[in-house]
Amino acid sequence: MTTPLPFFAIIPELLPRNVAGGAIALVNSFGALGGFLGAYGVGYLNGLTGNPAASYIAMGGSLLAAAVLTLFVRPATEKAPGRQAAVSPRAEGYDVSNRHASTAHDS
């Protein structure tokens, strides 16, 4: 199972267009890696202990750790000192729809 589709809809809203595709690929890759490593870890714990209780405890602990981490993550409200925020030309009000139009000095 991969990451739910509504999660992928958030990424283009938060990131610029030029990095959104790479970010979606990274999220999908980590989801696939987690699917493999999670199943491997559950099998390893089941084989090590002889019952699935340790696997359930590990999965519950991971879920709890993820929930606690989300409580501490906050969106950035200000830009860091000394860094400029990335602004797209569209946000600046420039018309980027006809970038290859000829200018007066081209003729």
Side-chain angles (χ1 to χ4, degrees):
M1 181 177 223
T2 61
T3 306
L5 290 177
F7 181 75
F8 287 121
I10 296 171
I11 295 172
E13 295 291 326
L14 298 176
L15 298 173
R17 276 187 185 170
N18 60 341
V19 296
I24 290 172
L26 184 67
V27 167
N28 193 35
S29 297
F30 275 111
L33 183 64
F36 172 75
L37 292 179
Y40 184 80
V42 166
Y44 178 76
L45 286 174
N46 286 349
L48 187 67
T49 62
N51 64 13
S55 301
Y56 288 127
I57 291 170
M59 287 186 282
S62 297
L63 179 63
L64 192 63
V68 169
L69 282 174
T70 58
L71 293 175
F72 291 110
V73 176
R74 299 281 181 232
T77 55
E78 296 179 13
K79 62 180 179 180
R83 296 185 70 186
Q84 278 187 313
V87 178
S88 71
R90 268 195 189 96
E92 288 284 325
Y94 297 113
D95 181 23
V96 294
S97 60
N98 196 4
R99 292 184 294 170
H100 301 290
S102 62
T103 58
H105 67 274
D106 286 343
S107 44

Coordinates of all heavy atoms in Angstrom, one line a residue:
M1 N 0.8 -1.2 0.0 CA 0.0 0.0 0.0 C 0.9 1.2 0.0 O 1.9 1.3 0.7 CB -0.9 0.0 1.2 CG -1.8 1.1 1.3 SD -2.9 1.0 2.7 CE -4.4 1.5 2.0
T2 N 0.5 2.2 -0.8 CA 1.3 3.4 -0.8 C 0.6 4.5 0.0 O -0.4 4.3 0.6 CB 1.4 3.9 -2.3 OG1 0.1 4.2 -2.8 CG2 2.1 2.9 -3.1
T3 N 1.2 5.7 0.0 CA 0.7 6.8 0.7 C -0.6 7.2 0.1 O -0.8 7.2 -1.1 CB 1.7 8.0 0.6 OG1 3.0 7.6 1.0 CG2 1.3 9.2 1.4
P4 N -1.6 7.6 1.0 CA -2.9 8.0 0.5 C -2.9 9.2 -0.5 O -2.0 10.1 -0.3 CB -3.7 8.4 1.8 CG -2.9 7.8 2.9 CD -1.5 7.6 2.4
L5 N -3.7 9.2 -1.4 CA -3.7 10.2 -2.5 C -4.0 11.6 -1.9 O -3.4 12.6 -2.4 CB -4.8 9.9 -3.5 CG -4.4 8.7 -4.4 CD1 -5.5 8.4 -5.4 CD2 -3.1 9.0 -5.1
P6 N -4.8 11.9 -0.9 CA -5.0 13.2 -0.4 C -3.7 13.8 0.1 O -3.5 15.0 0.1 CB -6.0 13.1 0.7 CG -6.8 11.9 0.3 CD -5.8 11.0 -0.3
F7 N -2.8 13.0 0.6 CA -1.5 13.5 1.1 C -0.7 14.1 -0.1 O 0.0 15.1 0.1 CB -0.7 12.4 1.8 CG 0.6 12.9 2.3 CD1 0.7 13.6 3.4 CD2 1.8 12.6 1.6 CE1 1.9 14.1 3.9 CE2 3.0 13.0 2.1 CZ 3.0 13.8 3.2
F8 N -0.7 13.4 -1.3 CA 0.0 13.9 -2.4 C -0.6 15.3 -2.9 O 0.1 16.1 -3.5 CB 0.0 12.9 -3.6 CG 0.8 11.7 -3.3 CD1 0.3 10.5 -3.3 CD2 2.2 11.9 -3.1 CE1 1.1 9.4 -3.1 CE2 3.0 10.8 -2.9 CZ 2.5 9.5 -2.9
A9 N -1.8 15.6 -2.6 CA -2.4 16.8 -3.0 C -1.9 18.0 -2.2 O -1.9 19.1 -2.6 CB -3.9 16.8 -2.9
I10 N -1.3 17.7 -1.0 CA -0.8 18.8 -0.1 C 0.5 19.3 -0.6 O 0.9 20.5 -0.6 CB -0.7 18.2 1.3 CG1 -2.0 17.9 1.9 CG2 0.1 19.2 2.2 CD1 -2.0 17.2 3.2
I11 N 1.3 18.4 -1.2 CA 2.7 18.7 -1.6 C 2.8 19.9 -2.6 O 3.5 20.8 -2.4 CB 3.4 17.5 -2.1 CG1 3.6 16.5 -0.9 CG2 4.8 17.8 -2.7 CD1 4.1 15.2 -1.3
P12 N 2.0 19.9 -3.7 CA 2.1 21.0 -4.6 C 1.5 22.3 -4.0 O 1.9 23.4 -4.4 CB 1.2 20.6 -5.8 CG 1.1 19.2 -5.7 CD 1.2 18.8 -4.3
E13 N 0.7 22.2 -3.0 CA 0.3 23.4 -2.3 C 1.3 24.1 -1.4 O 1.3 25.3 -1.2 CB -0.9 23.1 -1.4 CG -2.2 22.6 -2.1 CD -2.8 23.8 -3.0 OE1 -2.8 24.9 -2.5 OE2 -3.3 23.5 -4.1
L14 N 2.3 23.3 -0.9 CA 3.3 23.8 0.0 C 4.6 24.1 -0.7 O 5.4 24.9 -0.2 CB 3.6 22.7 1.1 CG 2.4 22.4 2.0 CD1 2.8 21.3 3.0 CD2 1.9 23.6 2.7
L15 N 4.9 23.4 -1.8 CA 6.2 23.6 -2.4 C 6.1 24.2 -3.8 O 5.1 24.1 -4.5 CB 6.9 22.2 -2.6 CG 7.2 21.5 -1.3 CD1 7.7 20.1 -1.5 CD2 8.2 22.3 -0.4
P16 N 7.2 24.9 -4.3 CA 7.2 25.4 -5.6 C 7.0 24.3 -6.7 O 7.4 23.2 -6.4 CB 8.5 26.1 -5.7 CG 9.1 26.2 -4.4 CD 8.4 25.2 -3.5
R17 N 6.6 24.7 -7.9 CA 6.4 23.8 -8.9 C 7.6 23.0 -9.3 O 7.6 21.8 -9.7 CB 5.9 24.5 -10.2 CG 4.5 24.7 -10.2 CD 4.1 25.3 -11.6 NE 2.7 25.6 -11.6 CZ 2.2 26.3 -12.6 NH1 2.9 26.7 -13.6 NH2 0.9 26.6 -12.5
N18 N 8.8 23.7 -9.3 CA 10.0 23.0 -9.8 C 10.5 21.9 -8.9 O 11.3 21.1 -9.3 CB 11.1 24.0 -10.0 CG 11.5 24.8 -8.8 OD1 10.7 24.8 -7.8 ND2 12.6 25.4 -8.8
V19 N 10.0 21.8 -7.6 CA 10.5 20.7 -6.7 C 9.3 19.8 -6.3 O 9.6 18.8 -5.6 CB 11.2 21.3 -5.5 CG1 12.4 22.0 -5.8 CG2 10.2 22.2 -4.7
A20 N 8.1 20.1 -6.7 CA 6.9 19.3 -6.2 C 7.0 17.9 -6.7 O 6.7 17.0 -6.0 CB 5.6 20.0 -6.7
G21 N 7.4 17.7 -8.0 CA 7.5 16.4 -8.5 C 8.5 15.5 -7.8 O 8.3 14.3 -7.5
G22 N 9.7 16.1 -7.5 CA 10.7 15.4 -6.8 C 10.3 15.1 -5.3 O 10.6 14.0 -4.8
A23 N 9.5 16.0 -4.7 CA 9.1 15.8 -3.4 C 8.0 14.6 -3.3 O 8.0 13.8 -2.4 CB 8.5 17.0 -2.8
I24 N 7.2 14.6 -4.3 CA 6.2 13.5 -4.4 C 6.9 12.2 -4.6 O 6.5 11.2 -4.0 CB 5.1 13.8 -5.5 CG1 4.2 15.0 -5.1 CG2 4.3 12.6 -5.8 CD1 3.3 15.4 -6.2
A25 N 7.9 12.2 -5.4 CA 8.7 10.9 -5.6 C 9.4 10.5 -4.4 O 9.4 9.3 -4.1 CB 9.7 11.1 -6.8
L26 N 9.9 11.5 -3.6 CA 10.6 11.1 -2.4 C 9.6 10.6 -1.3 O 9.9 9.6 -0.7 CB 11.3 12.4 -1.8 CG 12.1 12.2 -0.5 CD1 13.3 11.3 -0.8 CD2 12.5 13.5 0.0
V27 N 8.4 11.2 -1.2 CA 7.4 10.6 -0.3 C 7.0 9.2 -0.7 O 6.9 8.3 0.1 CB 6.2 11.6 -0.3 CG1 5.0 10.9 0.4 CG2 6.5 12.9 0.4
N28 N 6.8 9.0 -2.0 CA 6.4 7.7 -2.5 C 7.5 6.7 -2.2 O 7.3 5.5 -1.9 CB 6.1 7.8 -4.0 CG 5.4 6.5 -4.4 OD1 4.6 5.9 -3.7 ND2 5.7 6.1 -5.7
S29 N 8.8 7.1 -2.4 CA 9.9 6.2 -2.2 C 10.0 5.8 -0.7 O 10.2 4.6 -0.4 CB 11.2 6.8 -2.6 OG 11.2 7.1 -4.0
F30 N 9.8 6.8 0.2 CA 9.9 6.4 1.6 C 8.7 5.5 2.0 O 8.8 4.7 2.9 CB 9.9 7.7 2.5 CG 11.3 8.2 2.7 CD1 11.6 9.4 2.1 CD2 12.2 7.5 3.4 CE1 12.9 9.9 2.2 CE2 13.5 8.0 3.6 CZ 13.8 9.2 3.0
G31 N 7.5 5.7 1.4 CA 6.4 4.9 1.7 C 6.7 3.4 1.2 O 6.3 2.5 1.9
A32 N 7.3 3.3 0.0 CA 7.6 1.9 -0.4 C 8.7 1.3 0.4 O 8.6 0.1 0.8 CB 8.0 2.0 -1.9
L33 N 9.7 2.1 0.8 CA 10.7 1.6 1.7 C 10.1 1.2 3.1 O 10.5 0.1 3.6 CB 11.8 2.6 1.9 CG 13.0 2.2 2.7 CD1 13.8 1.1 2.0 CD2 13.9 3.4 2.9
G34 N 9.2 2.0 3.6 CA 8.6 1.6 4.9 C 7.7 0.4 4.8 O 7.7 -0.4 5.7
G35 N 7.1 0.2 3.6 CA 6.3 -1.0 3.4 C 7.2 -2.3 3.4 O 6.8 -3.3 4.0
F36 N 8.4 -2.1 2.8 CA 9.3 -3.3 2.8 C 9.9 -3.5 4.2 O 9.9 -4.6 4.7 CB 10.4 -3.1 1.8 CG 11.5 -4.1 1.8 CD1 11.2 -5.4 1.4 CD2 12.7 -3.8 2.4 CE1 12.2 -6.4 1.5 CE2 13.7 -4.8 2.5 CZ 13.4 -6.1 2.0
L37 N 10.5 -2.4 4.8 CA 11.2 -2.6 6.0 C 10.2 -2.9 7.2 O 10.6 -3.7 8.1 CB 11.9 -1.3 6.4 CG 13.1 -1.0 5.5 CD1 13.8 0.3 5.9 CD2 14.1 -2.1 5.5
G38 N 9.0 -2.4 7.1 CA 8.0 -2.7 8.1 C 7.6 -4.2 8.1 O 7.6 -4.9 9.2
A39 N 7.4 -4.8 6.9 CA 7.1 -6.2 6.8 C 8.3 -7.0 7.2 O 8.1 -8.1 7.9 CB 6.6 -6.5 5.4
Y40 N 9.4 -6.6 6.9 CA 10.6 -7.3 7.2 C 10.8 -7.3 8.8 O 11.1 -8.3 9.4 CB 11.9 -6.7 6.5 CG 13.1 -7.5 6.8 CD1 13.5 -8.6 6.1 CD2 14.0 -7.0 7.7 CE1 14.6 -9.3 6.3 CE2 15.2 -7.7 8.0 CZ 15.5 -8.8 7.2 OH 16.7 -9.5 7.5
G41 N 10.6 -6.1 9.4 CA 10.8 -6.0 10.8 C 9.7 -6.8 11.6 O 10.1 -7.5 12.6
V42 N 8.5 -6.9 11.1 CA 7.5 -7.7 11.8 C 7.8 -9.2 11.7 O 7.7 -9.9 12.7 CB 6.1 -7.4 11.1 CG1 5.1 -8.5 11.5 CG2 5.6 -6.0 11.5
G43 N 8.3 -9.6 10.5 CA 8.7 -11.0 10.4 C 9.9 -11.3 11.2 O 9.9 -12.4 11.9
Y44 N 10.8 -10.4 11.3 CA 12.0 -10.7 12.2 C 11.6 -10.8 13.6 O 12.0 -11.7 14.3 CB 13.0 -9.5 12.0 CG 14.2 -9.7 12.8 CD1 15.2 -10.6 12.5 CD2 14.4 -8.9 14.0 CE1 16.3 -10.7 13.3 CE2 15.5 -9.0 14.8 CZ 16.5 -9.9 14.4 OH 17.6 -10.0 15.3
L45 N 10.7 -9.8 14.1 CA 10.3 -9.9 15.5 C 9.5 -11.1 15.8 O 9.6 -11.7 16.9 CB 9.5 -8.6 15.9 CG 10.4 -7.4 16.1 CD1 9.5 -6.1 16.3 CD2 11.4 -7.5 17.2
N46 N 8.6 -11.5 14.9 CA 7.8 -12.7 15.1 C 8.7 -13.9 15.2 O 8.5 -14.8 16.0 CB 6.8 -12.9 13.9 CG 5.6 -11.9 14.0 OD1 5.5 -11.3 15.0 ND2 4.9 -11.8 13.0
G47 N 9.7 -14.0 14.3 CA 10.6 -15.1 14.3 C 11.5 -15.1 15.6 O 11.9 -16.2 16.1
L48 N 11.9 -13.9 16.0 CA 12.8 -13.8 17.2 C 12.1 -14.2 18.5 O 12.6 -14.9 19.3 CB 13.3 -12.4 17.3 CG 14.4 -12.1 18.3 CD1 15.7 -12.8 18.0 CD2 14.6 -10.6 18.4
T49 N 10.8 -13.7 18.6 CA 10.1 -14.0 19.9 C 9.1 -15.2 19.8 O 8.7 -15.7 20.9 CB 9.3 -12.7 20.3 OG1 8.3 -12.5 19.2 CG2 10.2 -11.5 20.5
G50 N 8.7 -15.6 18.6 CA 7.8 -16.7 18.5 C 6.3 -16.3 18.6 O 5.5 -17.2 18.4
N51 N 6.0 -15.1 18.9 CA 4.6 -14.6 18.8 C 4.6 -13.2 18.3 O 5.6 -12.5 18.3 CB 3.9 -14.8 20.2 CG 4.6 -13.9 21.2 OD1 5.3 -13.0 20.9 ND2 4.2 -14.2 22.5
P52 N 3.4 -12.8 17.9 CA 3.3 -11.4 17.3 C 3.2 -10.3 18.3 O 3.1 -9.1 17.9 CB 2.0 -11.5 16.4 CG 1.2 -12.6 17.1 CD 2.2 -13.5 17.7
A53 N 3.2 -10.6 19.5 CA 3.1 -9.5 20.5 C 4.1 -8.4 20.4 O 3.9 -7.2 20.5 CB 3.1 -10.1 21.9
A54 N 5.4 -8.8 20.2 CA 6.5 -7.8 20.1 C 6.3 -7.0 18.8 O 6.6 -5.8 18.9 CB 7.8 -8.6 20.0
S55 N 5.8 -7.6 17.8 CA 5.5 -6.8 16.5 C 4.4 -5.8 16.8 O 4.5 -4.6 16.3 CB 5.1 -7.7 15.4 OG 6.1 -8.7 15.1
Y56 N 3.4 -6.1 17.5 CA 2.3 -5.2 17.8 C 2.8 -4.1 18.7 O 2.4 -2.9 18.5 CB 1.1 -5.9 18.4 CG 0.3 -6.8 17.4 CD1 0.1 -8.1 17.7 CD2 -0.1 -6.2 16.2 CE1 -0.6 -8.9 16.8 CE2 -0.8 -7.0 15.4 CZ -1.1 -8.3 15.7 OH -1.8 -9.1 14.8
I57 N 3.6 -4.4 19.6 CA 4.2 -3.4 20.5 C 5.1 -2.4 19.7 O 5.0 -1.2 19.9 CB 4.9 -4.0 21.7 CG1 4.0 -4.7 22.6 CG2 5.8 -3.0 22.4 CD1 4.6 -5.6 23.7
A58 N 5.9 -3.0 18.8 CA 6.8 -2.1 18.0 C 5.9 -1.2 17.1 O 6.3 0.0 16.9 CB 7.7 -3.0 17.2
M59 N 4.9 -1.8 16.5 CA 4.0 -0.9 15.6 C 3.3 0.1 16.4 O 3.2 1.3 16.0 CB 3.0 -1.8 14.8 CG 3.7 -2.6 13.7 SD 2.5 -3.5 12.7 CE 2.1 -4.9 13.8
G60 N 2.8 -0.2 17.6 CA 2.1 0.8 18.4 C 3.1 1.8 18.9 O 2.8 3.0 18.9
G61 N 4.3 1.4 19.2 CA 5.3 2.4 19.6 C 5.7 3.4 18.5 O 5.9 4.6 18.7
S62 N 5.8 2.8 17.3 CA 6.1 3.7 16.2 C 5.0 4.7 15.9 O 5.2 5.8 15.6 CB 6.3 2.8 14.9 OG 7.4 2.0 15.1
L63 N 3.8 4.2 16.0 CA 2.6 5.1 15.8 C 2.6 6.2 16.9 O 2.4 7.4 16.6 CB 1.3 4.3 15.9 CG 0.0 5.1 15.7 CD1 0.0 5.7 14.3 CD2 -1.2 4.2 15.9
L64 N 2.9 5.8 18.1 CA 2.9 6.8 19.2 C 4.0 7.8 19.0 O 3.8 9.0 19.2 CB 3.1 6.1 20.5 CG 2.8 6.9 21.8 CD1 1.4 7.4 21.8 CD2 3.1 6.1 23.0
A65 N 5.2 7.4 18.6 CA 6.3 8.3 18.3 C 6.0 9.2 17.2 O 6.3 10.4 17.2 CB 7.6 7.4 18.0
A66 N 5.3 8.7 16.1 CA 5.0 9.6 15.0 C 3.9 10.6 15.4 O 4.0 11.8 15.0 CB 4.4 8.7 13.9
A67 N 3.0 10.2 16.3 CA 2.0 11.2 16.8 C 2.7 12.3 17.6 O 2.3 13.5 17.5 CB 0.9 10.5 17.6
V68 N 3.6 11.9 18.5 CA 4.3 12.9 19.3 C 5.2 13.8 18.4 O 5.2 15.0 18.7 CB 5.2 12.2 20.3 CG1 6.1 13.1 21.0 CG2 4.3 11.5 21.4
L69 N 5.8 13.3 17.4 CA 6.6 14.1 16.5 C 5.7 15.1 15.8 O 6.1 16.3 15.6 CB 7.3 13.3 15.5 CG 8.6 12.6 16.0 CD1 9.1 11.7 14.9 CD2 9.6 13.6 16.4
T70 N 4.5 14.8 15.4 CA 3.6 15.7 14.7 C 3.2 16.8 15.6 O 2.8 17.9 15.1 CB 2.4 15.0 14.1 OG1 1.7 14.4 15.1 CG2 2.8 14.0 13.0
L71 N 3.2 16.6 16.9 CA 2.8 17.7 17.8 C 3.9 18.8 17.9 O 3.6 19.9 18.2 CB 2.6 17.1 19.2 CG 1.4 16.2 19.4 CD1 1.3 15.6 20.8 CD2 0.1 16.9 19.1
F72 N 5.1 18.4 17.6 CA 6.2 19.4 17.7 C 6.6 20.0 16.4 O 7.3 21.0 16.4 CB 7.5 18.7 18.3 CG 7.3 18.3 19.7 CD1 7.2 16.9 20.0 CD2 7.3 19.2 20.7 CE1 7.1 16.6 21.4 CE2 7.2 18.8 22.0 CZ 7.1 17.5 22.4
V73 N 6.1 19.5 15.3 CA 6.3 20.1 14.0 C 5.3 21.2 13.7 O 4.1 21.0 13.8 CB 6.3 19.1 12.9 CG1 6.5 19.7 11.5 CG2 7.3 18.0 13.1
R74 N 5.8 22.4 13.5 CA 4.9 23.5 13.2 C 5.3 24.1 11.9 O 6.5 24.2 11.5 CB 5.0 24.6 14.3 CG 4.6 24.1 15.7 CD 3.1 24.1 15.8 NE 2.8 23.7 17.1 CZ 1.9 22.7 17.4 NH1 1.3 22.1 16.4 NH2 1.6 22.4 18.6
P75 N 4.4 24.7 11.1 CA 4.7 25.3 9.9 C 5.5 26.6 10.2 O 5.3 27.3 11.2 CB 3.4 25.7 9.2 CG 2.4 25.6 10.3 CD 2.9 24.7 11.4
A76 N 6.4 26.9 9.2 CA 7.2 28.1 9.4 C 6.4 29.4 9.2 O 5.6 29.5 8.2 CB 8.4 28.1 8.4
T77 N 6.4 30.3 10.1 CA 5.6 31.5 10.0 C 6.4 32.7 9.5 O 5.9 33.6 9.0 CB 5.0 31.9 11.4 OG1 6.1 32.0 12.3 CG2 4.0 30.8 11.8
E78 N 7.7 32.6 9.7 CA 8.6 33.7 9.3 C 9.8 33.1 8.5 O 10.2 32.0 8.8 CB 9.1 34.5 10.4 CG 8.1 35.2 11.2 CD 8.7 36.0 12.4 OE1 9.9 36.1 12.4 OE2 7.9 36.4 13.2
K79 N 10.4 33.9 7.6 CA 11.6 33.4 7.0 C 12.7 33.5 7.9 O 12.8 34.4 8.8 CB 11.8 34.1 5.7 CG 12.0 35.6 5.8 CD 12.3 36.2 4.4 CE 12.5 37.7 4.7 NZ 12.7 38.4 3.4
A80 N 13.7 32.6 7.7 CA 14.9 32.7 8.6 C 15.7 33.9 8.3 O 15.7 34.4 7.2 CB 15.8 31.4 8.3
P81 N 16.3 34.5 9.4 CA 17.1 35.7 9.1 C 18.3 35.4 8.2 O 18.9 34.4 8.2 CB 17.7 36.0 10.5 CG 17.3 34.9 11.4 CD 16.4 34.0 10.7
G82 N 18.5 36.4 7.3 CA 19.5 36.3 6.3 C 19.2 35.5 5.1 O 20.0 35.3 4.2
R83 N 18.0 35.0 5.0 CA 17.6 34.2 3.8 C 16.4 34.9 3.2 O 15.5 35.3 3.8 CB 17.2 32.8 4.2 CG 18.3 32.0 4.8 CD 17.9 30.6 5.1 NE 17.7 29.9 3.8 CZ 17.3 28.7 3.7 NH1 17.0 28.0 4.8 NH2 17.1 28.1 2.6
Q84 N 16.4 34.9 1.9 CA 15.2 35.4 1.1 C 14.3 34.3 0.8 O 14.7 33.2 0.5 CB 15.7 36.0 -0.2 CG 16.2 37.4 0.0 CD 16.5 38.0 -1.4 OE1 17.1 37.4 -2.3 NE2 16.0 39.2 -1.6
A85 N 13.0 34.6 0.9 CA 12.0 33.7 0.5 C 12.0 33.5 -1.0 O 12.1 34.5 -1.7 CB 10.6 34.1 1.0
A86 N 11.8 32.3 -1.5 CA 11.7 32.1 -2.9 C 10.3 32.5 -3.4 O 9.3 32.1 -2.9 CB 11.9 30.6 -3.2
V87 N 10.3 33.4 -4.4 CA 9.1 34.0 -5.0 C 9.1 33.7 -6.4 O 10.1 33.9 -7.1 CB 9.0 35.5 -4.7 CG1 7.8 36.0 -5.3 CG2 9.1 35.8 -3.2
S88 N 8.0 33.1 -6.9 CA 7.9 32.8 -8.3 C 7.6 34.1 -9.1 O 7.1 35.0 -8.6 CB 6.8 31.8 -8.6 OG 5.6 32.3 -8.4
P89 N 8.0 34.1 -10.4 CA 7.7 35.2 -11.2 C 6.2 35.5 -11.3 O 5.8 36.7 -11.4 CB 8.2 34.9 -12.6 CG 9.3 33.8 -12.3 CD 8.8 33.1 -11.1
R90 N 5.4 34.5 -11.2 CA 3.9 34.7 -11.3 C 3.5 35.5 -10.0 O 2.6 36.4 -10.1 CB 3.2 33.4 -11.3 CG 2.9 33.0 -12.7 CD 1.9 31.9 -12.8 NE 1.9 31.5 -14.2 CZ 2.6 30.5 -14.6 NH1 3.3 29.7 -13.8 NH2 2.6 30.2 -15.9
A91 N 4.1 35.2 -8.9 CA 3.7 35.9 -7.7 C 4.1 37.3 -7.7 O 3.5 38.2 -7.1 CB 4.3 35.2 -6.4
E92 N 5.2 37.6 -8.4 CA 5.7 39.0 -8.5 C 4.9 39.8 -9.5 O 5.0 41.0 -9.6 CB 7.2 38.9 -9.0 CG 8.1 38.5 -8.0 CD 8.4 39.5 -7.0 OE1 8.4 40.7 -7.3 OE2 8.6 39.2 -5.8
G93 N 4.0 39.1 -10.3 CA 3.2 39.8 -11.2 C 3.7 39.9 -12.7 O 3.2 40.5 -13.5
Y94 N 4.8 39.1 -13.0 CA 5.3 39.1 -14.3 C 4.5 38.1 -15.2 O 4.1 37.1 -14.7 CB 6.8 38.6 -14.3 CG 7.7 39.6 -13.6 CD1 8.3 39.2 -12.4 CD2 7.9 40.9 -14.1 CE1 9.1 40.1 -11.7 CE2 8.7 41.7 -13.4 CZ 9.4 41.3 -12.2 OH 10.2 42.2 -11.6
D95 N 4.4 38.4 -16.4 CA 3.7 37.5 -17.3 C 4.7 36.6 -17.9 O 5.6 37.0 -18.6 CB 3.1 38.3 -18.5 CG 2.3 37.4 -19.4 OD1 1.9 36.3 -19.0 OD2 2.1 37.9 -20.6
V96 N 4.6 35.3 -17.5 CA 5.6 34.3 -18.0 C 5.0 33.4 -19.0 O 5.5 32.4 -19.4 CB 6.1 33.5 -16.8 CG1 7.0 34.3 -15.9 CG2 5.0 32.8 -16.1
S97 N 3.8 33.7 -19.5 CA 3.1 32.8 -20.5 C 3.7 32.9 -21.8 O 3.6 31.9 -22.6 CB 1.6 33.2 -20.6 OG 1.5 34.5 -21.0
N98 N 4.4 34.0 -22.2 CA 5.0 34.1 -23.6 C 6.5 34.4 -23.5 O 6.9 35.5 -23.8 CB 4.2 35.1 -24.4 CG 4.5 35.0 -25.8 OD1 5.2 34.1 -26.3 ND2 4.0 36.0 -26.6
R99 N 7.2 33.5 -22.9 CA 8.6 33.7 -22.7 C 9.5 33.8 -24.0 O 10.5 34.4 -24.0 CB 9.2 32.6 -21.8 CG 8.7 32.6 -20.4 CD 9.3 31.6 -19.6 NE 9.0 30.2 -20.2 CZ 9.5 29.1 -19.8 NH1 10.5 29.1 -18.9 NH2 9.2 28.0 -20.3
H100 N 9.0 33.2 -25.1 CA 9.8 33.2 -26.3 C 9.3 34.2 -27.3 O 9.6 34.1 -28.5 CB 9.8 31.8 -26.9 CG 10.3 30.7 -26.0 ND1 11.6 30.7 -25.6 CD2 9.7 29.7 -25.3 CE1 11.8 29.7 -24.8 NE2 10.7 29.1 -24.5
A101 N 8.6 35.2 -26.9 CA 8.1 36.2 -27.8 C 9.3 37.0 -28.3 O 10.2 37.3 -27.5 CB 7.1 37.1 -27.1
S102 N 9.2 37.5 -29.5 CA 10.3 38.3 -30.0 C 10.2 39.7 -29.5 O 9.1 40.2 -29.2 CB 10.3 38.3 -31.6 OG 9.0 38.9 -32.0
T103 N 11.3 40.3 -29.3 CA 11.4 41.7 -28.8 C 11.8 42.6 -29.9 O 12.1 42.2 -31.0 CB 12.4 41.8 -27.6 OG1 13.7 41.4 -28.1 CG2 11.9 40.9 -26.4
A104 N 11.8 43.9 -29.6 CA 12.1 44.9 -30.7 C 13.6 44.7 -31.2 O 13.8 44.9 -32.4 CB 11.9 46.3 -30.1
H105 N 14.5 44.4 -30.3 CA 15.9 44.2 -30.8 C 16.1 42.9 -31.5 O 17.2 42.7 -32.0 CB 16.9 44.5 -29.6 CG 16.8 43.4 -28.6 ND1 15.9 43.5 -27.6 CD2 17.6 42.3 -28.4 CE1 16.1 42.4 -26.8 NE2 17.1 41.7 -27.3
D106 N 15.2 42.0 -31.5 CA 15.4 40.7 -32.2 C 15.3 40.8 -33.7 O 15.8 40.0 -34.5 CB 14.4 39.6 -31.7 CG 14.7 39.1 -30.3 OD1 15.8 39.3 -29.9 OD2 13.8 38.5 -29.7
S107 N 14.5 41.8 -34.2 CA 14.3 41.9 -35.7 C 15.3 42.6 -36.4 O 16.3 43.1 -36.0 CB 13.0 42.5 -35.9 OG 12.7 43.6 -35.1

